[in-house]
Amino acid sequence: LASRTVVACSRPQVRVKPDHSGVVTDGVKHSMNPFCEIAVEEAVKLKEKKLFKEVVAVSCGPAQATETIRTALAMGCDRGIHVEVTGKDYESLGPLQVSKIFAALAKKEEASLVILGKQAIDDDCNQTGQMTAALLDWPQGTFASEVEIEGDKVKVVREIDGGLETIKINMPAVVTADLRLNTPRYATLPNIMKAKKKKIANMKPADLGVDIVSRLEVLRVDEPPTRLAGVKVETVDDLVAKLKESGTI
């Protein structure tokens, strides 16, 4: 099981760094990506049904990533793995690099199922699950709104533009969780206390033989232009006049 850490900003707005290399994350709270939280819940539910023996939560990033793993452990995961990535490597960490780490861990752990969020809400890439499946050469069931284990197969109901699509794939497999798959549970205080005693293994990408050098370069990050103040009009004629004045029509 893989979970990703995202940054939940507690300030009124996201601020761009003075050098335009990214956004300011100092002093902001880190939390689990909501879609990965759904994936954690589904994995725990499958274990509660006696369909799997163990659920392992994985997160890549700096020391703060262990907070996310502890949340997953409090939700019911058995143990965690923190793949430590810091500094410039962390700033350039993208779906391909994360996928390489997940694929290496899936092989090392002899996983039957890798389940993660369909996308992260910070970059909205929607690539990690698909790339992980490709690197492993495993079947994939993306945008899952329903997951059922049938022997050595997984039945996945997928959300697609035209409605729902039901597929059945062999395990081992990769599944990505969509919004309507489930409603994640709240971690209770007793479970939060228990999670502190659960093991979190720490390793680096090099320990897995993974190269996380990025092939992409962020040239510049800019804030969106400031929105102009709105104008209230009394009548339709006033609205049309304002639109003509602004050159919209």
Side-chain angles (χ1 to χ4, degrees):
L1 170 70
S3 71
R4 175 168 176 172
T5 304
V6 299
V7 175
C9 188
S10 58
R11 296 171 179 166
Q13 65 179 24
V14 176
R15 296 186 296 113
V16 173
K17 292 180 179 179
D19 63 359
H20 294 273
S21 62
V23 298
V24 176
T25 58
D26 296 337
V28 299
K29 180 183 177 182
H30 289 69
S31 62
M32 192 184 303
N33 177 46
F35 290 109
C36 288
E37 192 174 12
I38 293 169
V40 169
E41 174 66 25
E42 193 65 21
V44 172
K45 287 171 65 176
L46 291 173
K47 185 199 169 188
E48 289 173 343
K49 294 176 182 177
K50 310 297 184 183
L51 296 170
F52 292 99
K53 294 180 179 179
E54 184 183 41
V55 179
V56 182
V58 180
S59 190
C60 312
Q64 297 96 313
T66 57
E67 300 171 13
T68 302
I69 297 174
R70 289 291 178 199
T71 299
L73 297 178
M75 290 174 67
C77 294
D78 299 289
R79 58 186 174 92
I81 298 176
H82 174 210
V83 182
E84 190 173 357
V85 183
T86 58
K88 293 293 183 182
D89 286 336
Y90 176 61
E91 292 178 6
S92 63
L93 194 68
L96 178 58
Q97 290 73 38
V98 175
S99 299
K100 289 179 178 179
I101 292 170
F102 287 170
L105 280 172
K107 291 178 181 178
K108 183 175 183 292
E109 294 288 330
E110 298 181 347
S112 301
L113 183 68
V114 174
I115 180 168
L116 61 159
K118 70 170 184 176
Q119 66 193 74
I121 61 170
D122 49 7
D123 58 22
D124 274 338
C125 281
N126 179 25
Q127 296 172 342
T128 305
Q130 293 89 329
M131 287 182 175
T132 301
L135 290 168
L136 288 166
D137 196 22
W138 287 5
Q140 57 182 288
T142 55
F143 313 114
S145 62
E146 186 178 331
V147 175
E148 291 183 19
I149 307 299
E150 299 181 354
D152 61 350
K153 299 182 185 296
V154 187
K155 186 174 81 171
V156 179
V157 178
R158 303 180 63 242
E159 296 197 12
I160 59 175
D161 289 343
L164 298 174
E165 177 186 62
T166 302
I167 63 172
K168 188 177 287 186
I169 55 179
N170 295 323
M171 289 195 292
V174 176
V175 171
T176 68
D178 213 324
L179 182 65
R180 280 159 285 278
L181 180 58
N182 60 53
T183 301
R185 70 192 68 188
Y186 289 102
T188 62
L189 182 58
N191 286 336
I192 292 173
M193 300 305 293
K194 290 178 184 176
K196 293 181 179 180
K197 298 180 180 179
K198 293 182 179 180
K199 293 182 179 180
I200 298 179
N202 183 280
M203 60 183 66
K204 298 184 183 300
D207 299 329
L208 299 167
V210 173
D211 171 21
I212 59 170
V213 175
S214 178
R215 272 64 176 176
L216 298 177
E217 179 186 359
V218 177
L219 300 179
R220 185 181 176 90
V221 177
D222 289 296
E223 294 183 18
T226 304
R227 293 183 61 180
L228 299 176
V231 177
K232 290 184 178 181
V233 295
E234 299 295 333
T235 66
V236 174
D237 290 338
D238 291 342
L239 174 60
V240 173
K242 284 291 184 184
L243 292 174
K244 285 182 177 179
E245 183 181 324
S246 66
T248 306
I249 61 174

